[in-house]
């Protein structure tokens, strides 16, 4: 762990990364320029910097938390920075989008619900598959089971917080089975999730990260990797087997249930700031 000394707390896209680094043993590696992704950086003065920054903003927007490190990783039990930053966001009437795979988010459900009552509070959680052994190999054992995520998603929804389910990553021969994916989406639909992002069933791997991903793919899923490499090259874009048929079935189910599934539409909706007391306005940046 190391302390990040930074004058700017938000990225140009309003990203707020209190923690930077690989907090989970995920099959995908997050690229962080100028830092060791296996070491965790902490912005210990994040609440103070955020407060100063938001007070000078002329217009409200959505603050995005968790792109470069889960805001509810184990270090937050010690530092408690995520809740402090959420309180700043609530007090300044900004909206928030939080990406997490941890149950610790329930600790702050009151603050997030407070944000959602005035603007927009969104929690994004990934649901790669229902099979727990397979999930652990994809994400690492530090993340919580899918059954717990479904329970947490239900509790968040009851509190008035919007939940976006992300079905990712979809890896060929690993978790791209049509019946298994449809079962996952049925579970999400049954608890009232009406926004499911599947990244248009396209997995993009940056060139600088490909060696890491394919080595992990081979080590974690040797037989599946052998089947994959027999039919495909280790390129930068991956698609599920029988993509067109899978899209027809999955997207058809979502349409019947009134579920938003188009990735661009979901991204645009998440970025739209809403003032529930006055009206609404669009703020992408």
């Amino acid at each position: 762990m190391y302390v990040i000394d930074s004058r700017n707390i938000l990225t140009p896209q309003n990203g707020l990364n209190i923690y930077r680094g690989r907090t989970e043993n995920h099959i995908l590696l997050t690229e962080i320029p100028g830092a060791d992704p296996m070491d965790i950086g902490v912005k210990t003065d994040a609440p103070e910097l955020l407060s100063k920054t938001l007070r000078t903003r002329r217009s409200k927007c959505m603050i995005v938390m968790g792109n470069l490190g889960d805001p509810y990783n184990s270090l937050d039990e010690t530092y408690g920075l995520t809740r402090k930053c959420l309180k700043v966001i609530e007090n300044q009437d900004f909206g928030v989008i939080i990406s997490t795979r941890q149950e610790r988010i329930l600790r702050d459900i009151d603050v997030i619900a407070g944000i959602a009552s005035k603007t927009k509070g969104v929690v994004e959680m990934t649901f790669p598959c229902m099979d727990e052994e397979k999930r652990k190999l994809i994400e690492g054992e530090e993340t919580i089971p899918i059954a717990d995520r479904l329970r947490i998603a239900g509790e968040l929804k009851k509190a008035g917080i919007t939940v976006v389910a992300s079905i990712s990553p979809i890896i060929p021969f690993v978790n791209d089975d049509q019946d298994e994916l449809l079962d996952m989406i049925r579970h999400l639909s049954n608890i009232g999730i009406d926004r499911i992002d599947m990244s248009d069933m396209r997995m993009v791997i940056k060139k600088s990260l490909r060696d890491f991903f394919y080595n992990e793919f081979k080590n974690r899923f040797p037989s599946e990797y052998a089947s994959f490499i027999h039919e495909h090259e280790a390129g930068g874009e991956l698609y599920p087997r029988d993509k067109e048929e899978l899209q027809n079935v999955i997207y058809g189910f979502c349409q019947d249930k009134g579920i938003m599934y188009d990735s661009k539409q979901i991204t645009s909706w998440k970025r739209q700031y809403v003032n529930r007391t006055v009206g609404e306005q669009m703020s992408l940046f």
Side-chain angles (χ1 to χ4, degrees):
M1 190 277 289
Y2 63 97
V3 175
I4 300 173
D5 183 14
S6 177
R7 294 182 180 179
N8 300 317
I9 190 62
L10 296 179
T11 68
Q13 292 76 35
N14 296 313
L16 171 61
N17 292 293
I18 305 166
Y19 304 98
R20 286 170 40 125
R22 193 166 183 240
T23 59
E24 302 157 356
N25 186 27
H26 203 288
I27 196 170
L28 293 174
L29 186 65
T30 300
E31 185 175 38
I32 303 176
D36 180 356
M38 312 304 277
D39 195 8
I40 308 300
V42 183
K43 296 184 180 181
T44 55
D45 57 352
E48 292 77 19
L49 285 174
L50 182 63
S51 181
K52 292 178 182 179
T53 300
L54 296 189
R55 282 202 305 267
T56 62
R57 289 292 180 95
R58 293 183 178 180
S59 59
K60 308 297 183 182
C61 65
M62 299 296 292
I63 306 299
V64 184
M65 300 178 67
N67 287 349
L68 298 180
D70 196 317
Y72 288 102
N73 69 83
S74 59
L75 286 175
D76 199 61
E77 290 187 359
T78 300
Y79 291 98
L81 297 170
T82 297
R83 183 177 180 87
K84 292 177 182 177
C85 286
L86 286 172
K87 289 295 292 182
V88 171
I89 293 169
E90 180 185 23
N91 291 337
Q92 297 291 335
D93 293 336
F94 281 74
V96 70
I97 306 164
I98 308 170
S99 297
T100 185
R101 287 184 281 263
Q102 298 295 341
E103 189 167 7
R104 295 182 187 91
I105 192 170
L106 293 181
R107 178 199 66 192
D108 299 336
I109 194 170
D110 59 326
V111 185
I112 305 169
I115 295 171
S117 68
K118 294 185 291 184
T119 59
K120 185 188 289 183
V122 181
V123 174
E124 187 168 35
M125 303 188 80
T126 56
F127 296 82
C129 58
M130 291 295 294
D131 186 294
E132 275 302 305
E133 292 306 312
K134 192 183 296 183
R135 179 199 63 78
K136 290 177 184 178
L137 289 171
I138 293 173
E139 294 183 338
E141 296 190 5
E142 302 87 352
T143 58
I144 60 175
I146 295 299
D148 288 338
R149 292 183 213 187
L150 291 169
R151 171 179 54 81
I152 291 166
E155 292 186 41
L156 292 169
K157 281 188 61 63
K158 288 179 182 178
I161 299 163
T162 302
V163 177
V164 175
S166 177
I167 311 297
S168 67
I170 300 178
I171 305 172
F173 296 92
V174 174
N175 63 333
D176 64 342
D177 179 79
Q178 182 182 123
D179 292 337
E180 290 182 8
L181 283 171
L182 193 56
D183 183 46
M184 179 78 261
I185 293 172
R186 284 198 182 100
H187 276 81
L188 292 166
S189 176
N190 288 341
I191 63 170
I193 302 300
D194 57 5
R195 288 169 175 82
I196 300 178
D197 189 351
M198 303 186 70
S199 301
D200 298 327
M201 299 189 184
R202 174 172 171 260
M203 181 179 171
V204 180
I205 310 167
K206 291 183 179 181
K207 188 175 182 179
S208 57
L209 305 178
R210 288 178 200 170
D211 286 345
F212 177 89
F213 168 73
Y214 284 108
N215 283 334
E216 293 298 310
F217 188 178
K218 182 178 181 179
N219 292 333
R220 300 184 192 206
F221 300 98
S223 61
E224 291 85 351
Y225 176 80
S227 298
F228 168 82
I229 210 67
H230 178 71
E231 298 183 14
H232 305 277
E233 294 182 358
E237 292 189 357
L238 277 68
Y239 296 92
R241 294 167 293 172
D242 304 319
K243 177 187 174 185
E244 292 186 5
E245 181 182 352
L246 185 61
Q247 286 180 326
N248 289 335
V249 172
I250 299 297
Y251 293 170
F253 178 87
C254 290
Q255 289 171 358
D256 290 342
K257 297 294 184 179
I259 296 171
M260 185 187 297
Y261 62 86
D262 182 86
S263 190
K264 289 183 179 179
Q265 185 181 9
I266 291 174
T267 299
S268 176
W269 175 85
K270 286 191 298 184
R271 286 285 189 170
Q272 185 181 30
Y273 173 81
V274 174
N275 186 326
R276 300 193 187 282
T277 61
V278 177
E280 63 180 66
Q281 64 186 42
M282 179 73 79
S283 178
L284 295 179
F285 307 102

